[in-house]
Amino acid sequence: VTTARQRRWPPVVIALSLQAVAAVATVATARVLGARDITLGTLGAAILMGVIAGALSVVARLDWWWVLIQVVFAPALLIALVLAIPRWVLLTLIVLLVLVYWSTFRTQVPLYLSSSAVRAALVPLLPSAPAVFLDVGSGIGGVLTYLADRKPEHTYHGIESAPLPWFVSWMRVTLRRRKNCHARFGSLWNCDLRDYDVVFAYLSPVPMAALWEKVVTEMRPGSVFISNSFAVDAVPPTHTVTVDDAHRSTLYVWQR
Ligand SMILES: C[S@@+](CC[C@H](N)C(=O)[O-])C[C@H]1O[C@@H](n2cnc3c(N)ncnc32)[C@H](O)[C@@H]1O
């Protein structure tokens, strides 16, 4: 099965193309209804366009968060126009979104956070002897700071490629003067996993095969790789932990 992820076009191009198709379909529907004296109205048209774009995105097998964006795009644009939201507010919102989702179009890994139950479930998975922990794609540093507070004998590193989440994590680490915690800005692919005893990832299905290659090549014997929610195809974990949170998250644990 070919999915949107495997196609040559980036999802943003597919999403915009589907919005264009949805706009044409909406205009055509409005005309057909207009010929029968049924007025769709601007709000009706925006909602219809959102529904069509969402449905097309499901058919195109875009990720769920793309489908959500596709559905709300036209109604949100209309609301912004009707409310005459000042340009600087819209511009600020766009800049914030770009800073948060900076690399998402390329990496296919959006920002969402491990639940507090997942963070708690990580504590017993840490070694008893002082160890070096890495969160690849550390977001706003929630996992790092949580573990650093509870298991201060270890050293914690995070690497994050989106500017705003990285800045928030850096502030959290710096303001609280956490000496055993470090938040670095950059790509996980430039990070040598040899330096870490425990590597934690909460990414998406897209990079898992490549990340596993990196784990196998770089991680030392005796080290541990943990993935929140995303397994590695055809590589059974050493064991799994089912977490009692809203998603019934699974932690996949590989002992190297
Ligand atoms: C799902 S969030 C997880 C955040 C945090 N680790 C947690 O568990 O709460 C994934 C994060 O990985 C970051 N990311 C994606 N690809 C990356 C890459 N190649 N290098 C560094 N960070 C990346 C995203 O920007 C996002 O903040």
Side-chain angles (χ1 to χ4, degrees), residues 100 103-104 106-107 109-115 118-119 135-143 159-162 165 186-189 200-204 228 230:
V100 172
S103 50
T104 302
R106 190 167 32 87
T107 62
V109 183
L111 172 70
Y112 32 77
L113 307 177
S114 288
S115 65
V118 162
R119 284 183 254 154
D135 182 357
V136 286
S138 45
I140 58 171
V143 171
I159 178 101
E160 172 55 52
S161 61
S187 171
L188 69 91
W189 303 113
F200 170 72
Y202 183 27
L203 298 171
S204 84
N228 180 3
F230 303 109

PDB file of all heavy atoms in Angstrom, residues 100 103-104 106-107 109-115 118-119 135-143 159-162 165 186-189 200-204 228 230, ligand 1:
ATOM      1  N   VAL A 100       7.218  26.576  16.205  1.00  0.00           N
ATOM      2  CA  VAL A 100       6.915  25.307  16.883  1.00  0.00           C
ATOM      3  C   VAL A 100       7.009  24.143  15.900  1.00  0.00           C
ATOM      4  O   VAL A 100       7.571  23.095  16.209  1.00  0.00           O
ATOM      5  CB  VAL A 100       5.519  25.351  17.537  1.00  0.00           C
ATOM      6  CG1 VAL A 100       5.138  23.971  18.064  1.00  0.00           C
ATOM      7  CG2 VAL A 100       5.496  26.366  18.669  1.00  0.00           C
ATOM      8  N   SER A 103      10.223  22.112  11.752  1.00  0.00           N
ATOM      9  CA  SER A 103      10.771  21.011  10.960  1.00  0.00           C
ATOM     10  C   SER A 103       9.736  19.938  10.645  1.00  0.00           C
ATOM     11  O   SER A 103      10.055  18.944  10.012  1.00  0.00           O
ATOM     12  CB  SER A 103      11.932  20.378  11.736  1.00  0.00           C
ATOM     13  OG  SER A 103      11.495  20.102  13.048  1.00  0.00           O
ATOM     14  N   THR A 104       8.481  20.165  11.083  1.00  0.00           N
ATOM     15  CA  THR A 104       7.491  19.088  10.969  1.00  0.00           C
ATOM     16  C   THR A 104       7.227  18.695   9.516  1.00  0.00           C
ATOM     17  O   THR A 104       7.067  17.515   9.209  1.00  0.00           O
ATOM     18  CB  THR A 104       6.184  19.505  11.657  1.00  0.00           C
ATOM     19  OG1 THR A 104       6.479  19.800  13.016  1.00  0.00           O
ATOM     20  CG2 THR A 104       5.158  18.390  11.606  1.00  0.00           C
ATOM     21  N   ARG A 106       9.218  18.623   7.139  1.00  0.00           N
ATOM     22  CA  ARG A 106      10.322  17.795   6.658  1.00  0.00           C
ATOM     23  C   ARG A 106      10.407  16.476   7.431  1.00  0.00           C
ATOM     24  O   ARG A 106      10.522  15.413   6.838  1.00  0.00           O
ATOM     25  CB  ARG A 106      11.628  18.591   6.812  1.00  0.00           C
ATOM     26  CG  ARG A 106      12.831  17.982   6.144  1.00  0.00           C
ATOM     27  CD  ARG A 106      13.978  18.978   6.088  1.00  0.00           C
ATOM     28  NE  ARG A 106      13.997  19.907   7.220  1.00  0.00           N
ATOM     29  CZ  ARG A 106      14.590  19.651   8.385  1.00  0.00           C
ATOM     30  NH1 ARG A 106      15.188  18.499   8.594  1.00  0.00           N
ATOM     31  NH2 ARG A 106      14.578  20.544   9.352  1.00  0.00           N
ATOM     32  N   THR A 107      10.311  16.566   8.779  1.00  0.00           N
ATOM     33  CA  THR A 107      10.556  15.367   9.593  1.00  0.00           C
ATOM     34  C   THR A 107       9.322  14.488   9.755  1.00  0.00           C
ATOM     35  O   THR A 107       9.436  13.323  10.109  1.00  0.00           O
ATOM     36  CB  THR A 107      11.004  15.762  11.012  1.00  0.00           C
ATOM     37  OG1 THR A 107       9.954  16.509  11.638  1.00  0.00           O
ATOM     38  CG2 THR A 107      12.278  16.594  10.980  1.00  0.00           C
ATOM     39  N   VAL A 109       7.315  14.727  12.085  1.00  0.00           N
ATOM     40  CA  VAL A 109       7.158  14.476  13.517  1.00  0.00           C
ATOM     41  C   VAL A 109       6.659  15.761  14.181  1.00  0.00           C
ATOM     42  O   VAL A 109       7.433  16.680  14.410  1.00  0.00           O
ATOM     43  CB  VAL A 109       8.491  14.049  14.168  1.00  0.00           C
ATOM     44  CG1 VAL A 109       8.262  13.721  15.642  1.00  0.00           C
ATOM     45  CG2 VAL A 109       9.099  12.861  13.452  1.00  0.00           C
ATOM     46  N   PRO A 110       5.359  15.849  14.458  1.00  0.00           N
ATOM     47  CA  PRO A 110       4.861  17.065  15.112  1.00  0.00           C
ATOM     48  C   PRO A 110       5.184  17.068  16.605  1.00  0.00           C
ATOM     49  O   PRO A 110       5.628  16.055  17.156  1.00  0.00           O
ATOM     50  CB  PRO A 110       3.348  16.974  14.895  1.00  0.00           C
ATOM     51  CG  PRO A 110       3.078  15.527  14.762  1.00  0.00           C
ATOM     52  CD  PRO A 110       4.321  14.866  14.213  1.00  0.00           C
ATOM     53  N   LEU A 111       4.924  18.215  17.236  1.00  0.00           N
ATOM     54  CA  LEU A 111       5.125  18.294  18.688  1.00  0.00           C
ATOM     55  C   LEU A 111       3.870  17.808  19.400  1.00  0.00           C
ATOM     56  O   LEU A 111       2.780  18.343  19.198  1.00  0.00           O
ATOM     57  CB  LEU A 111       5.406  19.745  19.102  1.00  0.00           C
ATOM     58  CG  LEU A 111       5.442  19.987  20.613  1.00  0.00           C
ATOM     59  CD1 LEU A 111       6.675  19.358  21.248  1.00  0.00           C
ATOM     60  CD2 LEU A 111       5.412  21.478  20.933  1.00  0.00           C
ATOM     61  N   TYR A 112       3.996  16.760  20.170  1.00  0.00           N
ATOM     62  CA  TYR A 112       3.001  16.390  21.162  1.00  0.00           C
ATOM     63  C   TYR A 112       3.787  15.800  22.321  1.00  0.00           C
ATOM     64  O   TYR A 112       4.923  15.371  22.141  1.00  0.00           O
ATOM     65  CB  TYR A 112       1.917  15.429  20.634  1.00  0.00           C
ATOM     66  CG  TYR A 112       2.362  14.470  19.570  1.00  0.00           C
ATOM     67  CD1 TYR A 112       3.111  13.340  19.897  1.00  0.00           C
ATOM     68  CD2 TYR A 112       2.035  14.678  18.244  1.00  0.00           C
ATOM     69  CE1 TYR A 112       3.530  12.461  18.917  1.00  0.00           C
ATOM     70  CE2 TYR A 112       2.464  13.799  17.253  1.00  0.00           C
ATOM     71  CZ  TYR A 112       3.202  12.703  17.590  1.00  0.00           C
ATOM     72  OH  TYR A 112       3.630  11.831  16.626  1.00  0.00           O
ATOM     73  N   LEU A 113       3.195  15.827  23.497  1.00  0.00           N
ATOM     74  CA  LEU A 113       4.001  15.570  24.680  1.00  0.00           C
ATOM     75  C   LEU A 113       3.698  14.205  25.296  1.00  0.00           C
ATOM     76  O   LEU A 113       2.541  13.777  25.330  1.00  0.00           O
ATOM     77  CB  LEU A 113       3.753  16.662  25.726  1.00  0.00           C
ATOM     78  CG  LEU A 113       3.937  18.090  25.190  1.00  0.00           C
ATOM     79  CD1 LEU A 113       3.596  19.108  26.262  1.00  0.00           C
ATOM     80  CD2 LEU A 113       5.345  18.303  24.673  1.00  0.00           C
ATOM     81  N   SER A 114       4.733  13.552  25.826  1.00  0.00           N
ATOM     82  CA  SER A 114       4.509  12.314  26.577  1.00  0.00           C
ATOM     83  C   SER A 114       3.636  12.638  27.778  1.00  0.00           C
ATOM     84  O   SER A 114       3.821  13.668  28.429  1.00  0.00           O
ATOM     85  CB  SER A 114       5.851  11.763  27.092  1.00  0.00           C
ATOM     86  OG  SER A 114       6.606  11.239  26.039  1.00  0.00           O
ATOM     87  N   SER A 115       2.700  11.745  28.071  1.00  0.00           N
ATOM     88  CA  SER A 115       1.805  11.974  29.206  1.00  0.00           C
ATOM     89  C   SER A 115       2.599  11.872  30.518  1.00  0.00           C
ATOM     90  O   SER A 115       3.708  11.316  30.549  1.00  0.00           O
ATOM     91  CB  SER A 115       0.687  10.928  29.204  1.00  0.00           C
ATOM     92  OG  SER A 115       1.238   9.647  29.428  1.00  0.00           O
ATOM     93  N   VAL A 118       3.411   8.343  31.250  1.00  0.00           N
ATOM     94  CA  VAL A 118       4.568   7.824  30.506  1.00  0.00           C
ATOM     95  C   VAL A 118       5.850   8.258  31.199  1.00  0.00           C
ATOM     96  O   VAL A 118       6.779   7.458  31.400  1.00  0.00           O
ATOM     97  CB  VAL A 118       4.551   8.311  29.032  1.00  0.00           C
ATOM     98  CG1 VAL A 118       5.923   8.169  28.391  1.00  0.00           C
ATOM     99  CG2 VAL A 118       3.518   7.535  28.225  1.00  0.00           C
ATOM    100  N   ARG A 119       5.898   9.541  31.598  1.00  0.00           N
ATOM    101  CA  ARG A 119       7.109  10.034  32.272  1.00  0.00           C
ATOM    102  C   ARG A 119       7.371   9.223  33.546  1.00  0.00           C
ATOM    103  O   ARG A 119       8.501   8.830  33.833  1.00  0.00           O
ATOM    104  CB  ARG A 119       6.955  11.513  32.610  1.00  0.00           C
ATOM    105  CG  ARG A 119       7.126  12.384  31.383  1.00  0.00           C
ATOM    106  CD  ARG A 119       7.032  13.840  31.744  1.00  0.00           C
ATOM    107  NE  ARG A 119       5.772  14.413  31.303  1.00  0.00           N
ATOM    108  CZ  ARG A 119       5.185  15.455  31.869  1.00  0.00           C
ATOM    109  NH1 ARG A 119       5.725  16.029  32.930  1.00  0.00           N
ATOM    110  NH2 ARG A 119       4.066  15.933  31.388  1.00  0.00           N
ATOM    111  N   ASP A 135      16.944  12.265  25.248  1.00  0.00           N
ATOM    112  CA  ASP A 135      15.617  12.308  24.631  1.00  0.00           C
ATOM    113  C   ASP A 135      15.808  12.869  23.228  1.00  0.00           C
ATOM    114  O   ASP A 135      16.157  14.044  23.065  1.00  0.00           O
ATOM    115  CB  ASP A 135      14.685  13.211  25.474  1.00  0.00           C
ATOM    116  CG  ASP A 135      13.265  13.261  24.910  1.00  0.00           C
ATOM    117  OD1 ASP A 135      13.022  12.656  23.841  1.00  0.00           O
ATOM    118  OD2 ASP A 135      12.407  13.910  25.543  1.00  0.00           O
ATOM    119  N   VAL A 136      15.610  12.021  22.195  1.00  0.00           N
ATOM    120  CA  VAL A 136      15.782  12.503  20.811  1.00  0.00           C
ATOM    121  C   VAL A 136      14.459  13.123  20.361  1.00  0.00           C
ATOM    122  O   VAL A 136      13.461  12.440  20.241  1.00  0.00           O
ATOM    123  CB  VAL A 136      16.239  11.368  19.854  1.00  0.00           C
ATOM    124  CG1 VAL A 136      17.695  11.029  20.077  1.00  0.00           C
ATOM    125  CG2 VAL A 136      15.395  10.115  19.981  1.00  0.00           C
ATOM    126  N   GLY A 137      14.473  14.428  20.147  1.00  0.00           N
ATOM    127  CA  GLY A 137      13.235  15.162  19.879  1.00  0.00           C
ATOM    128  C   GLY A 137      12.606  15.485  21.221  1.00  0.00           C
ATOM    129  O   GLY A 137      11.546  14.980  21.575  1.00  0.00           O
ATOM    130  N   SER A 138      13.294  16.358  21.984  1.00  0.00           N
ATOM    131  CA  SER A 138      12.927  16.524  23.400  1.00  0.00           C
ATOM    132  C   SER A 138      11.814  17.535  23.638  1.00  0.00           C
ATOM    133  O   SER A 138      11.444  17.775  24.794  1.00  0.00           O
ATOM    134  CB  SER A 138      14.171  16.888  24.214  1.00  0.00           C
ATOM    135  OG  SER A 138      14.926  17.866  23.556  1.00  0.00           O
ATOM    136  N   GLY A 139      11.259  18.128  22.566  1.00  0.00           N
ATOM    137  CA  GLY A 139      10.110  19.021  22.713  1.00  0.00           C
ATOM    138  C   GLY A 139      10.400  20.162  23.670  1.00  0.00           C
ATOM    139  O   GLY A 139      11.434  20.832  23.570  1.00  0.00           O
ATOM    140  N   ILE A 140       9.516  20.368  24.644  1.00  0.00           N
ATOM    141  CA  ILE A 140       9.703  21.470  25.591  1.00  0.00           C
ATOM    142  C   ILE A 140      10.424  20.993  26.868  1.00  0.00           C
ATOM    143  O   ILE A 140      10.397  21.667  27.892  1.00  0.00           O
ATOM    144  CB  ILE A 140       8.366  22.158  25.935  1.00  0.00           C
ATOM    145  CG1 ILE A 140       7.365  21.166  26.535  1.00  0.00           C
ATOM    146  CG2 ILE A 140       7.760  22.838  24.718  1.00  0.00           C
ATOM    147  CD1 ILE A 140       6.110  21.830  27.101  1.00  0.00           C
ATOM    148  N   GLY A 141      11.024  19.814  26.806  1.00  0.00           N
ATOM    149  CA  GLY A 141      11.894  19.357  27.895  1.00  0.00           C
ATOM    150  C   GLY A 141      11.156  18.716  29.065  1.00  0.00           C
ATOM    151  O   GLY A 141      11.759  18.542  30.130  1.00  0.00           O
ATOM    152  N   GLY A 142       9.896  18.345  28.873  1.00  0.00           N
ATOM    153  CA  GLY A 142       9.104  17.776  29.975  1.00  0.00           C
ATOM    154  C   GLY A 142       9.666  16.473  30.508  1.00  0.00           C
ATOM    155  O   GLY A 142       9.732  16.270  31.727  1.00  0.00           O
ATOM    156  N   VAL A 143      10.100  15.598  29.607  1.00  0.00           N
ATOM    157  CA  VAL A 143      10.641  14.300  30.046  1.00  0.00           C
ATOM    158  C   VAL A 143      11.949  14.517  30.803  1.00  0.00           C
ATOM    159  O   VAL A 143      12.168  13.952  31.888  1.00  0.00           O
ATOM    160  CB  VAL A 143      10.843  13.363  28.823  1.00  0.00           C
ATOM    161  CG1 VAL A 143      11.608  12.109  29.217  1.00  0.00           C
ATOM    162  CG2 VAL A 143       9.494  12.990  28.211  1.00  0.00           C
ATOM    163  N   ILE A 159      17.767  16.688  22.573  1.00  0.00           N
ATOM    164  CA  ILE A 159      18.100  17.342  21.306  1.00  0.00           C
ATOM    165  C   ILE A 159      16.774  17.647  20.612  1.00  0.00           C
ATOM    166  O   ILE A 159      15.911  16.780  20.520  1.00  0.00           O
ATOM    167  CB  ILE A 159      19.049  16.461  20.449  1.00  0.00           C
ATOM    168  CG1 ILE A 159      19.355  17.128  19.106  1.00  0.00           C
ATOM    169  CG2 ILE A 159      18.506  15.066  20.205  1.00  0.00           C
ATOM    170  CD1 ILE A 159      20.687  17.797  19.090  1.00  0.00           C
ATOM    171  N   GLU A 160      16.616  18.893  20.157  1.00  0.00           N
ATOM    172  CA  GLU A 160      15.326  19.317  19.596  1.00  0.00           C
ATOM    173  C   GLU A 160      15.584  20.233  18.395  1.00  0.00           C
ATOM    174  O   GLU A 160      16.418  21.129  18.466  1.00  0.00           O
ATOM    175  CB  GLU A 160      14.512  20.056  20.686  1.00  0.00           C
ATOM    176  CG  GLU A 160      13.240  20.710  20.213  1.00  0.00           C
ATOM    177  CD  GLU A 160      12.275  19.772  19.500  1.00  0.00           C
ATOM    178  OE1 GLU A 160      11.935  18.707  20.024  1.00  0.00           O
ATOM    179  OE2 GLU A 160      11.866  20.130  18.377  1.00  0.00           O
ATOM    180  N   SER A 161      14.837  19.990  17.302  1.00  0.00           N
ATOM    181  CA  SER A 161      15.101  20.757  16.076  1.00  0.00           C
ATOM    182  C   SER A 161      14.132  21.911  15.853  1.00  0.00           C
ATOM    183  O   SER A 161      14.345  22.713  14.944  1.00  0.00           O
ATOM    184  CB  SER A 161      15.070  19.818  14.857  1.00  0.00           C
ATOM    185  OG  SER A 161      13.796  19.233  14.745  1.00  0.00           O
ATOM    186  N   ALA A 162      13.074  22.014  16.652  1.00  0.00           N
ATOM    187  CA  ALA A 162      12.130  23.133  16.478  1.00  0.00           C
ATOM    188  C   ALA A 162      12.522  24.267  17.437  1.00  0.00           C
ATOM    189  O   ALA A 162      12.651  24.034  18.646  1.00  0.00           O
ATOM    190  CB  ALA A 162      10.708  22.660  16.734  1.00  0.00           C
ATOM    191  N   PRO A 165      10.046  25.206  20.872  1.00  0.00           N
ATOM    192  CA  PRO A 165      10.099  24.169  21.923  1.00  0.00           C
ATOM    193  C   PRO A 165      11.492  24.050  22.533  1.00  0.00           C
ATOM    194  O   PRO A 165      11.632  23.923  23.746  1.00  0.00           O
ATOM    195  CB  PRO A 165       9.707  22.886  21.175  1.00  0.00           C
ATOM    196  CG  PRO A 165       8.898  23.359  20.033  1.00  0.00           C
ATOM    197  CD  PRO A 165       9.474  24.691  19.631  1.00  0.00           C
ATOM    198  N   GLY A 186      19.203  21.211  17.660  1.00  0.00           N
ATOM    199  CA  GLY A 186      19.828  20.545  16.518  1.00  0.00           C
ATOM    200  C   GLY A 186      19.032  19.316  16.118  1.00  0.00           C
ATOM    201  O   GLY A 186      17.941  19.067  16.635  1.00  0.00           O
ATOM    202  N   SER A 187      19.612  18.567  15.177  1.00  0.00           N
ATOM    203  CA  SER A 187      18.910  17.385  14.675  1.00  0.00           C
ATOM    204  C   SER A 187      19.429  16.121  15.349  1.00  0.00           C
ATOM    205  O   SER A 187      20.641  15.961  15.548  1.00  0.00           O
ATOM    206  CB  SER A 187      19.126  17.265  13.170  1.00  0.00           C
ATOM    207  OG  SER A 187      18.630  16.013  12.736  1.00  0.00           O
ATOM    208  N   LEU A 188      18.517  15.243  15.660  1.00  0.00           N
ATOM    209  CA  LEU A 188      18.903  13.968  16.287  1.00  0.00           C
ATOM    210  C   LEU A 188      19.822  13.169  15.375  1.00  0.00           C
ATOM    211  O   LEU A 188      20.618  12.353  15.844  1.00  0.00           O
ATOM    212  CB  LEU A 188      17.659  13.163  16.661  1.00  0.00           C
ATOM    213  CG  LEU A 188      16.775  12.565  15.556  1.00  0.00           C
ATOM    214  CD1 LEU A 188      17.197  11.146  15.191  1.00  0.00           C
ATOM    215  CD2 LEU A 188      15.332  12.544  16.007  1.00  0.00           C
ATOM    216  N   TRP A 189      19.705  13.425  14.059  1.00  0.00           N
ATOM    217  CA  TRP A 189      20.512  12.633  13.119  1.00  0.00           C
ATOM    218  C   TRP A 189      21.988  13.017  13.202  1.00  0.00           C
ATOM    219  O   TRP A 189      22.845  12.304  12.698  1.00  0.00           O
ATOM    220  CB  TRP A 189      19.981  12.799  11.684  1.00  0.00           C
ATOM    221  CG  TRP A 189      18.535  12.414  11.605  1.00  0.00           C
ATOM    222  CD1 TRP A 189      17.477  13.244  11.361  1.00  0.00           C
ATOM    223  CD2 TRP A 189      17.966  11.111  11.820  1.00  0.00           C
ATOM    224  NE1 TRP A 189      16.301  12.539  11.406  1.00  0.00           N
ATOM    225  CE2 TRP A 189      16.566  11.242  11.680  1.00  0.00           C
ATOM    226  CE3 TRP A 189      18.508   9.856  12.121  1.00  0.00           C
ATOM    227  CZ2 TRP A 189      15.697  10.152  11.832  1.00  0.00           C
ATOM    228  CZ3 TRP A 189      17.635   8.769  12.271  1.00  0.00           C
ATOM    229  CH2 TRP A 189      16.261   8.931  12.124  1.00  0.00           C
ATOM    230  N   PHE A 200      15.745   7.743  24.588  1.00  0.00           N
ATOM    231  CA  PHE A 200      14.284   7.728  24.575  1.00  0.00           C
ATOM    232  C   PHE A 200      13.793   8.491  23.345  1.00  0.00           C
ATOM    233  O   PHE A 200      14.335   9.549  23.010  1.00  0.00           O
ATOM    234  CB  PHE A 200      13.754   8.396  25.851  1.00  0.00           C
ATOM    235  CG  PHE A 200      12.255   8.642  25.834  1.00  0.00           C
ATOM    236  CD1 PHE A 200      11.364   7.589  25.956  1.00  0.00           C
ATOM    237  CD2 PHE A 200      11.751   9.929  25.675  1.00  0.00           C
ATOM    238  CE1 PHE A 200       9.990   7.809  25.929  1.00  0.00           C
ATOM    239  CE2 PHE A 200      10.377  10.157  25.648  1.00  0.00           C
ATOM    240  CZ  PHE A 200       9.498   9.088  25.779  1.00  0.00           C
ATOM    241  N   ALA A 201      12.753   7.946  22.683  1.00  0.00           N
ATOM    242  CA  ALA A 201      12.190   8.620  21.502  1.00  0.00           C
ATOM    243  C   ALA A 201      10.676   8.606  21.589  1.00  0.00           C
ATOM    244  O   ALA A 201      10.081   7.589  21.973  1.00  0.00           O
ATOM    245  CB  ALA A 201      12.638   7.896  20.230  1.00  0.00           C
ATOM    246  N   TYR A 202      10.069   9.732  21.249  1.00  0.00           N
ATOM    247  CA  TYR A 202       8.608   9.788  21.057  1.00  0.00           C
ATOM    248  C   TYR A 202       8.427  10.589  19.785  1.00  0.00           C
ATOM    249  O   TYR A 202       8.358  11.812  19.813  1.00  0.00           O
ATOM    250  CB  TYR A 202       7.950  10.461  22.258  1.00  0.00           C
ATOM    251  CG  TYR A 202       6.430  10.515  22.215  1.00  0.00           C
ATOM    252  CD1 TYR A 202       5.694   9.562  21.515  1.00  0.00           C
ATOM    253  CD2 TYR A 202       5.730  11.511  22.885  1.00  0.00           C
ATOM    254  CE1 TYR A 202       4.316   9.613  21.490  1.00  0.00           C
ATOM    255  CE2 TYR A 202       4.347  11.564  22.869  1.00  0.00           C
ATOM    256  CZ  TYR A 202       3.649  10.607  22.164  1.00  0.00           C
ATOM    257  OH  TYR A 202       2.271  10.653  22.126  1.00  0.00           O
ATOM    258  N   LEU A 203       8.430   9.908  18.652  1.00  0.00           N
ATOM    259  CA  LEU A 203       8.492  10.600  17.368  1.00  0.00           C
ATOM    260  C   LEU A 203       7.233  10.344  16.551  1.00  0.00           C
ATOM    261  O   LEU A 203       6.177  10.887  16.837  1.00  0.00           O
ATOM    262  CB  LEU A 203       9.772  10.189  16.639  1.00  0.00           C
ATOM    263  CG  LEU A 203      11.084  10.577  17.378  1.00  0.00           C
ATOM    264  CD1 LEU A 203      12.298   9.946  16.724  1.00  0.00           C
ATOM    265  CD2 LEU A 203      11.249  12.090  17.446  1.00  0.00           C
ATOM    266  N   SER A 204       7.314   9.479  15.550  1.00  0.00           N
ATOM    267  CA  SER A 204       6.155   9.089  14.737  1.00  0.00           C
ATOM    268  C   SER A 204       6.588   7.825  14.005  1.00  0.00           C
ATOM    269  O   SER A 204       7.771   7.449  14.066  1.00  0.00           O
ATOM    270  CB  SER A 204       5.790  10.215  13.757  1.00  0.00           C
ATOM    271  OG  SER A 204       6.585  10.137  12.590  1.00  0.00           O
ATOM    272  N   ASN A 228       8.398   5.553  22.841  1.00  0.00           N
ATOM    273  CA  ASN A 228       7.023   5.740  23.289  1.00  0.00           C
ATOM    274  C   ASN A 228       6.095   5.605  22.091  1.00  0.00           C
ATOM    275  O   ASN A 228       6.186   6.372  21.127  1.00  0.00           O
ATOM    276  CB  ASN A 228       6.887   7.136  23.929  1.00  0.00           C
ATOM    277  CG  ASN A 228       5.480   7.427  24.418  1.00  0.00           C
ATOM    278  OD1 ASN A 228       4.590   6.572  24.340  1.00  0.00           O
ATOM    279  ND2 ASN A 228       5.268   8.621  24.917  1.00  0.00           N
ATOM    280  N   PHE A 230       5.719   4.069  19.334  1.00  0.00           N
ATOM    281  CA  PHE A 230       6.015   3.661  17.967  1.00  0.00           C
ATOM    282  C   PHE A 230       7.006   2.505  17.955  1.00  0.00           C
ATOM    283  O   PHE A 230       8.144   2.643  18.414  1.00  0.00           O
ATOM    284  CB  PHE A 230       6.520   4.847  17.147  1.00  0.00           C
ATOM    285  CG  PHE A 230       5.530   5.979  17.155  1.00  0.00           C
ATOM    286  CD1 PHE A 230       5.789   7.145  17.852  1.00  0.00           C
ATOM    287  CD2 PHE A 230       4.302   5.835  16.523  1.00  0.00           C
ATOM    288  CE1 PHE A 230       4.852   8.174  17.907  1.00  0.00           C
ATOM    289  CE2 PHE A 230       3.354   6.846  16.575  1.00  0.00           C
ATOM    290  CZ  PHE A 230       3.622   8.016  17.261  1.00  0.00           C
TER     291      PHE A 230
HETATM  292  C1  LIG B   1       6.242  13.969  19.786  1.00  0.00           C
HETATM  293  S1  LIG B   1       7.351  15.233  20.295  1.00  0.00           S
HETATM  294  C2  LIG B   1       8.010  14.517  21.765  1.00  0.00           C
HETATM  295  C3  LIG B   1       8.450  15.528  22.785  1.00  0.00           C
HETATM  296  C4  LIG B   1       9.077  14.918  24.060  1.00  0.00           C
HETATM  297  N1  LIG B   1      10.147  13.995  23.751  1.00  0.00           N
HETATM  298  C5  LIG B   1       8.051  14.186  24.873  1.00  0.00           C
HETATM  299  O1  LIG B   1       8.088  12.958  24.881  1.00  0.00           O
HETATM  300  O2  LIG B   1       7.190  14.842  25.493  1.00  0.00           O
HETATM  301  C6  LIG B   1       8.631  14.993  19.088  1.00  0.00           C
HETATM  302  C7  LIG B   1       9.609  16.133  18.993  1.00  0.00           C
HETATM  303  O3  LIG B   1      10.683  15.719  18.151  1.00  0.00           O
HETATM  304  C8  LIG B   1      11.153  16.850  17.442  1.00  0.00           C
HETATM  305  N2  LIG B   1      11.901  16.352  16.285  1.00  0.00           N
HETATM  306  C9  LIG B   1      11.426  15.773  15.174  1.00  0.00           C
HETATM  307  N3  LIG B   1      12.410  15.436  14.344  1.00  0.00           N
HETATM  308  C10 LIG B   1      13.568  15.803  14.962  1.00  0.00           C
HETATM  309  C11 LIG B   1      14.943  15.732  14.598  1.00  0.00           C
HETATM  310  N4  LIG B   1      15.318  15.200  13.432  1.00  0.00           N
HETATM  311  N5  LIG B   1      15.852  16.209  15.467  1.00  0.00           N
HETATM  312  C12 LIG B   1      15.479  16.737  16.654  1.00  0.00           C
HETATM  313  N6  LIG B   1      14.184  16.855  17.043  1.00  0.00           N
HETATM  314  C13 LIG B   1      13.246  16.391  16.204  1.00  0.00           C
HETATM  315  C14 LIG B   1       9.876  17.606  17.096  1.00  0.00           C
HETATM  316  O4  LIG B   1      10.156  18.958  16.795  1.00  0.00           O
HETATM  317  C15 LIG B   1       9.065  17.426  18.375  1.00  0.00           C
HETATM  318  O5  LIG B   1       9.280  18.483  19.263  1.00  0.00           O
END
